[in-house]
Amino acid sequence: MLIRVVSEAHGAEEATGIARSLFEGEYAQLCPEFDYGKLMTEGGRWSQSFPESIQNEGSIRADSEIGNELIENAWVSTTRELTRRMAVIRKGFEQFTDKELLEGRRVEAEVEPWNPLGLAQNEEEFYDSYTTDVRYAMYCVGDYAGTVYYLYNGYGTAIRNHSEYEQLLEEIATDDTDNEDHSFFVTPIDVHY
């Protein structure tokens, strides 16, 4: 999956370094949540689909057209994944008793994984490794990072709800950083879970 890290930095190079540090070193925040993180400067799977500036520098200003698009697409992906997993959880509570949910090794809900709430018109429109396991869906919704969340701040914390997303957009729009020399940048990262 392609996550996006939004951080405050002096420039694109520093923002790329902040994003890299979330995967490397003793205090890496996003490992082991993800197996690895590959920047677009390192030839991530989607690197060729990005403008040359991202391929060369790894990051782009968040208030640019491309930056806005990266952030918005990450939020759309997050809300879609949360909605799909919540549909599995709801269906699981309808179908199973508490005992079955708590004691079952795998508890599969009878919901179309690719279209629980009309998000796709047919199965071919949506590719992923989605599961209808109710307990796994609960884990994903309750986890702090991982396959449900596509947008992170520079500290490796997932943007988990609409109010956090709105706050991030407000900070970017007003460039409300602690230091006038800093701006917000977006760094796309190819990750494997």
Side-chain angles (χ1 to χ4, degrees):
M1 65 189 277
L2 185 71
I3 65 168
R4 288 73 158 188
V5 174
V6 179
S7 58
E8 297 176 46
H10 288 290
E13 185 176 321
E14 182 182 7
T16 302
I18 290 169
R20 179 178 283 116
S21 73
L22 297 176
F23 292 92
E24 297 174 359
E26 185 178 349
Y27 301 106
Q29 296 296 307
L30 292 178
C31 282
E33 293 295 347
F34 298 101
D35 293 337
Y36 67 80
K38 194 167 190 177
L39 300 166
M40 298 303 104
T41 57
E42 299 165 344
R45 283 176 287 194
W46 292 280
S47 62
Q48 296 302 315
S49 65
F50 285 105
E52 196 172 311
S53 61
I54 293 179
Q55 292 177 41
N56 294 335
E57 298 175 15
S59 301
I60 193 164
R61 283 184 59 107
D63 60 359
S64 68
E65 185 177 338
I66 294 168
N68 281 322
E69 188 176 308
L70 285 169
I71 293 169
E72 184 178 335
N73 289 345
W75 184 245
V76 167
S77 295
T78 296
T79 55
R80 179 178 294 133
E81 291 302 316
L82 286 170
T83 300
R84 292 172 58 199
R85 282 167 174 79
M86 290 303 295
V88 169
I89 294 167
R90 283 189 189 98
K91 192 68 169 180
F93 283 129
E94 291 172 9
Q95 288 181 255
F96 302 101
T97 66
D98 290 351
K99 184 177 180 180
E100 290 171 320
L101 287 171
L102 292 171
E103 293 181 9
R105 189 174 164 98
R106 283 186 63 88
V107 184
E108 298 285 331
E110 293 177 13
V111 63
E112 295 172 323
W114 55 273
N115 191 22
L117 298 175
L119 296 170
Q121 298 302 312
N122 60 55
E123 193 168 359
E124 289 76 37
E125 287 183 16
F126 210 92
Y127 167 78
D128 68 3
S129 58
Y130 190 65
T131 177
T132 58
D133 183 1
V134 180
R135 293 177 70 173
Y136 182 73
M138 287 190 274
Y139 166 78
C140 289
V141 171
D143 200 8
Y144 290 102
T147 58
V148 176
Y149 303 103
Y150 288 75
L151 189 59
Y152 293 81
N153 65 24
Y155 302 103
T157 303
I159 306 300
R160 299 175 49 82
N161 58 53
H162 191 70
S163 61
E164 290 174 356
Y165 176 65
E166 289 292 323
Q167 180 181 352
L168 176 66
L169 294 181
E170 179 66 24
E171 289 174 0
I172 292 169
T174 60
D175 205 5
D176 190 19
T177 57
D178 295 334
N179 186 333
E180 290 182 12
D181 295 337
H182 285 75
S183 293
F184 285 96
F185 288 83
V186 182
T187 309
I189 305 173
D190 172 10
V191 297
H192 181 265
Y193 193 128

Short mmCIF file of all heavy atoms in Angstrom, two decimals, residues 23 30-37 191-193:
data_model
loop_
_atom_site.label_atom_id
_atom_site.label_comp_id
_atom_site.label_asym_id
_atom_site.label_seq_id
_atom_site.Cartn_x
_atom_site.Cartn_y
_atom_site.Cartn_z
N PHE A 23 11.02 4.41 9.69
CA PHE A 23 11.25 3.02 9.34
C PHE A 23 12.63 2.50 9.71
O PHE A 23 12.88 1.31 9.66
CB PHE A 23 11.02 2.80 7.83
CG PHE A 23 9.59 2.97 7.44
CD1 PHE A 23 9.10 4.19 7.01
CD2 PHE A 23 8.72 1.90 7.53
CE1 PHE A 23 7.78 4.34 6.68
CE2 PHE A 23 7.40 2.04 7.20
CZ PHE A 23 6.92 3.26 6.77
N LEU A 30 7.14 3.22 12.74
CA LEU A 30 6.28 2.42 11.87
C LEU A 30 6.82 1.02 11.60
O LEU A 30 6.27 0.29 10.79
CB LEU A 30 6.01 3.16 10.57
CG LEU A 30 5.15 4.41 10.74
CD1 LEU A 30 4.96 5.12 9.41
CD2 LEU A 30 3.80 4.08 11.35
N CYS A 31 7.88 0.64 12.25
CA CYS A 31 8.35 -0.75 12.20
C CYS A 31 8.21 -1.28 13.61
O CYS A 31 8.60 -0.60 14.54
CB CYS A 31 9.79 -0.84 11.75
SG CYS A 31 9.99 -0.66 9.99
N PRO A 32 7.60 -2.41 13.83
CA PRO A 32 7.25 -3.45 12.88
C PRO A 32 5.82 -3.39 12.35
O PRO A 32 5.33 -4.39 11.82
CB PRO A 32 7.45 -4.72 13.70
CG PRO A 32 7.03 -4.31 15.07
CD PRO A 32 7.43 -2.87 15.20
N GLU A 33 5.09 -2.29 12.52
CA GLU A 33 3.74 -2.22 11.97
C GLU A 33 3.74 -2.58 10.49
O GLU A 33 2.86 -3.26 9.99
CB GLU A 33 3.12 -0.83 12.17
CG GLU A 33 2.83 -0.49 13.61
CD GLU A 33 1.78 -1.36 14.25
OE1 GLU A 33 1.06 -2.10 13.55
OE2 GLU A 33 1.67 -1.31 15.48
N PHE A 34 4.73 -2.07 9.77
CA PHE A 34 4.92 -2.42 8.37
C PHE A 34 6.25 -3.15 8.25
O PHE A 34 7.19 -2.84 8.98
CB PHE A 34 4.94 -1.17 7.49
CG PHE A 34 3.64 -0.40 7.51
CD1 PHE A 34 3.52 0.75 8.28
CD2 PHE A 34 2.55 -0.83 6.77
CE1 PHE A 34 2.33 1.46 8.30
CE2 PHE A 34 1.36 -0.12 6.79
CZ PHE A 34 1.25 1.02 7.55
N ASP A 35 6.33 -4.11 7.33
CA ASP A 35 7.58 -4.85 7.13
C ASP A 35 8.70 -3.93 6.66
O ASP A 35 9.85 -4.11 7.04
CB ASP A 35 7.40 -5.96 6.08
CG ASP A 35 6.47 -7.05 6.56
OD1 ASP A 35 6.30 -7.20 7.78
OD2 ASP A 35 5.91 -7.75 5.71
N TYR A 36 8.36 -3.00 5.81
CA TYR A 36 9.36 -2.06 5.32
C TYR A 36 8.66 -0.82 4.80
O TYR A 36 7.46 -0.80 4.58
CB TYR A 36 10.22 -2.68 4.20
CG TYR A 36 9.46 -2.96 2.92
CD1 TYR A 36 9.18 -1.94 2.01
CD2 TYR A 36 9.03 -4.25 2.62
CE1 TYR A 36 8.48 -2.19 0.84
CE2 TYR A 36 8.33 -4.51 1.45
CZ TYR A 36 8.06 -3.48 0.56
OH TYR A 36 7.36 -3.74 -0.59
N GLY A 37 9.45 0.22 4.56
CA GLY A 37 8.96 1.43 3.92
C GLY A 37 9.96 1.86 2.88
O GLY A 37 11.15 1.98 3.17
N VAL A 191 4.73 0.76 1.33
CA VAL A 191 4.92 -0.10 2.49
C VAL A 191 4.33 -1.47 2.23
O VAL A 191 3.45 -1.65 1.38
CB VAL A 191 4.26 0.50 3.76
CG1 VAL A 191 4.91 1.81 4.13
CG2 VAL A 191 2.77 0.65 3.61
N HIS A 192 4.83 -2.44 2.96
CA HIS A 192 4.28 -3.80 2.93
C HIS A 192 3.93 -4.17 4.34
O HIS A 192 4.69 -3.94 5.27
CB HIS A 192 5.32 -4.77 2.37
CG HIS A 192 4.80 -6.16 2.29
ND1 HIS A 192 5.02 -7.08 3.29
CD2 HIS A 192 4.06 -6.79 1.34
CE1 HIS A 192 4.44 -8.23 2.95
NE2 HIS A 192 3.86 -8.07 1.78
N TYR A 193 2.73 -4.74 4.51
CA TYR A 193 2.26 -5.13 5.83
C TYR A 193 2.41 -6.63 5.98
O TYR A 193 1.97 -7.39 5.20
CB TYR A 193 0.79 -4.74 5.98
CG TYR A 193 0.28 -4.80 7.39
CD1 TYR A 193 -0.35 -3.72 7.95
CD2 TYR A 193 0.43 -5.95 8.15
CE1 TYR A 193 -0.83 -3.78 9.25
CE2 TYR A 193 -0.04 -6.00 9.44
CZ TYR A 193 -0.68 -4.91 9.99
OH TYR A 193 -1.14 -4.97 11.27
#
